[in-house]
């Protein structure tokens, strides 16, 4: 009887040891798996979404939702928008309009009307003179010019009376006006030329007629100081 009890205790003890060993072994086997799972969840900065990206994404979602909410046709008036109506300073002349929008909008005088009377009713200038070339070249450029603005020396005043924008800053396509005797101009009539280009250093390339003969069109470049001493008719 005593031997049976002793044998039973041994079997129970062996069974308990086996269970403890099994439990310990299972826990040990779990360790690599848990370590691997932790490694896969580590923070990867290279893939992280920044706060600015998150804000941008949320704004995009909001805009999309707004568009969906407004997509009921209630905003459709059946009218179209003409791009010309968006011009801050309208001009009928397409070349002038492009210059205003792309180059001169912040430079035009207050109250300037680009659709002023151009004074153009056909060339009234003798062939080959500097005034003839200025009129002809402006037409080639698609820019306005008066037909009867007088002698070259009178062009700035005549242009101002018609409403042209004039000042002492050269721009491509302008009419450059020389006073009598100014930089080689006629002491009686003055001179006009066309600004072909304004260079980065401030020098100005011009085209002109009757400097080397009647009807002979030539070009030259004036330094910045000379160029800024002239008057310019823009449009």
């Amino acid at each position: 009887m005593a031997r049976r009890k002793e044998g039973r205790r041994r079997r129970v003890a062996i069974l308990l040891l086996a269970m403890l060993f099994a439990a310990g072994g299972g826990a040990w086997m779990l360790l690599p798996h848990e370590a691997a799972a932790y490694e896969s969840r580590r923070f990867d900065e290279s893939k992280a979404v920044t706060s600015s990206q998150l804000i941008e994404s949320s704004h995009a979602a909001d805009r999309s939702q707004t568009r969906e909410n407004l997509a009921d046709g209630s905003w459709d008036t059946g009218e179209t928008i003409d791009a010309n109506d968006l011009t801050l300073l309208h001009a009928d002349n397409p070349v002038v309009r492009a210059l205003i929008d792309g180059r001169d909008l912040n430079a035009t005088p207050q109250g300037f009307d680009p659709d002023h009377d151009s004074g153009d009713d056909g060339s009234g200038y003798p062939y080959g003179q500097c005034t003839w070339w200025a009129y002809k070249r402006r037409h080639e450029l698609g820019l306005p010019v008066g037909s009867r603005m007088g002698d070259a020396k009178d062009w700035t005043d005549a242009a101002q009376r018609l409403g042209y924008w004039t000042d002492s800053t050269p721009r491509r396509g302008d009419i450059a006006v020389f006073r009598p005797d100014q930089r080689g101009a006629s002491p009686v009539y003055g001179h006009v030329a066309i600004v072909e280009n304004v260079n980065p250093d401030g020098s100005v390339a011009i085209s002109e007629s009757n400097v080397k003969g009647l009807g002979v069109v030539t070009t030259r470049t004036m330094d910045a100081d000379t160029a800024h001493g002239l008057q310019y008719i823009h449009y």
Side-chain angles (χ1 to χ4, degrees), residues 74-87:
S74 60
W75 290 87
D76 185 4
T77 63
E79 298 178 356
T80 58
I81 298 176
D82 187 342
N84 293 334
D85 294 336
L86 301 179
T87 303

Side-chain angles (χ1 to χ4, degrees), residues 65-79:
Q65 184 174 1
T66 301
R67 286 195 296 271
E68 291 175 3
N69 292 340
L70 294 177
D72 58 1
S74 60
W75 290 87
D76 185 4
T77 63
E79 298 178 356

Side-chain angles (χ1 to χ4, degrees), residues 44-96:
D44 186 347
E45 293 183 0
S46 66
K47 297 179 181 179
V49 177
T50 66
S51 60
S52 61
Q53 288 173 322
L54 184 62
I55 293 170
E56 182 179 348
S57 176
S58 67
H59 284 179
D62 289 345
R63 288 196 297 269
S64 176
Q65 184 174 1
T66 301
R67 286 195 296 271
E68 291 175 3
N69 292 340
L70 294 177
D72 58 1
S74 60
W75 290 87
D76 185 4
T77 63
E79 298 178 356
T80 58
I81 298 176
D82 187 342
N84 293 334
D85 294 336
L86 301 179
T87 303
L88 296 181
L89 191 60
H90 178 74
D92 289 335
N93 183 313
V95 177
V96 172

Side-chain angles (χ1 to χ4, degrees), residues 5 7 16 23 39 54 57-58 61 64 68-69 83 87 107 110 117 177 179 235:
K5 289 182 180 180
L16 288 174
E39 182 72 18
L54 184 62
S57 176
S58 67
S64 176
E68 291 175 3
N69 292 340
T87 303
Q110 186 174 5
D117 179 13
V177 182
R179 297 186 301 273
Y235 42 74

